[in-house]
């Protein structure tokens, strides 16, 4: 029952440091203009070992940049959080995100796509025929800095 403006300057989630064991975000991050402060807040409130699940529209789908979406969250963005741009996103913090699993949720178009490409794996269909995928779930874990 907490209403927050994630784009407000100096936004702070009203939760103590290291107090959260599980974060679930569904179709929220694509609406946030400045992701870095929010991602830092998520990491701040999470305990080491916490599970962070972020669900967003498939980056290439027709709905990826619909009305009110400020950005697309794609696999490359998640790689930035977990591997290639960690210092930019979480520099100075003693925790990091580690990608555990990527899940693709089929759309109503998946069965037709599967018929069109019977030799492709489900993951290939989700990745390369974007409207076959309703959403992508990135499941990450919080780890202590090494």
């Amino acid at each position: 029952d907490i209403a927050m403006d994630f784009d407000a300057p100096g936004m702070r989630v009203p939760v103590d440091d290291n107090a959260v064991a599980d974060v679930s975000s569904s179709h929220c991050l694509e609406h946030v203009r400045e992701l870095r402060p929010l991602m830092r807040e998520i990491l701040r409130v999470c305990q080491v070992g916490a599970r962070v699940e972020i669900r967003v529209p498939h980056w290439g789908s027709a709905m990826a940049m619909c009305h009110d979406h400020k950005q697309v969250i794609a696999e490359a963005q998640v790689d930035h959080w977990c591997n290639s741009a960690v210092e930019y996103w979480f520099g100075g913090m003693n925790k990091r995100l580690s990608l555990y699993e990527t899940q693709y949720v089929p759309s109503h178009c998946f069965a037709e796509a599967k018929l069109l490409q019977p030799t492709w794996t489900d993951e290939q269909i989700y990745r390369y025929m974007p409207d076959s995928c309703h959403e992508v779930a990135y499941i990450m874990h919080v780890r202590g800095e090494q």
Side-chain angles (χ1 to χ4, degrees):
D1 295 333
I2 298 171
M4 295 189 65
D5 178 357
F6 292 129
D7 283 320
M11 182 279 304
R12 188 165 169 89
V13 175
V15 175
D16 291 338
D17 294 1
N18 307 309
V20 176
D22 193 348
V23 170
S24 180
S25 171
S26 181
H27 295 264
C28 175
L29 295 188
E30 66 272 17
H31 295 271
V32 177
R33 186 169 279 106
E34 295 294 333
L35 268 183
R36 189 168 174 246
L38 177 57
M39 293 304 296
R40 291 180 67 84
E41 278 296 283
I42 289 171
L43 204 58
R44 178 187 66 79
V45 302
C46 282
Q47 308 165 353
V48 170
R51 180 179 184 274
V52 177
E53 179 177 334
I54 295 174
R55 292 180 174 269
V56 293
H58 186 287
W59 60 88
S61 74
M63 291 303 293
M65 282 303 294
C66 71
H67 173 73
D68 199 39
H69 287 187
K70 308 298 188 275
Q71 57 192 302
V72 173
I73 309 297
E75 291 176 339
Q77 178 64 65
V78 176
D79 182 69
H80 273 202
W81 296 336
C82 298
N83 299 307
S84 63
V86 173
E87 191 59 31
Y88 169 79
W89 285 91
F90 306 114
M93 302 183 83
N94 62 351
K95 296 179 275 187
R96 300 290 187 255
L97 290 172
S98 180
L99 182 62
Y100 175 72
E101 182 180 8
T102 301
Q103 297 175 349
Y104 301 91
V105 178
S107 75
H108 65 282
C109 299
F110 178 77
E112 182 179 4
K114 188 72 172 168
L115 289 173
L116 293 169
Q117 296 296 340
T119 62
W120 286 16
T121 66
D122 288 359
E123 185 170 332
Q124 286 173 314
I125 291 171
Y126 293 137
R127 291 180 56 122
Y128 302 112
M129 299 178 83
D131 284 326
S132 69
C133 183
H134 170 67
E135 68 183 7
V136 182
Y138 300 104
I139 293 107
M140 297 167 277
H141 290 124
V142 176
R143 62 180 174 85
E145 188 172 46
Q146 298 175 3

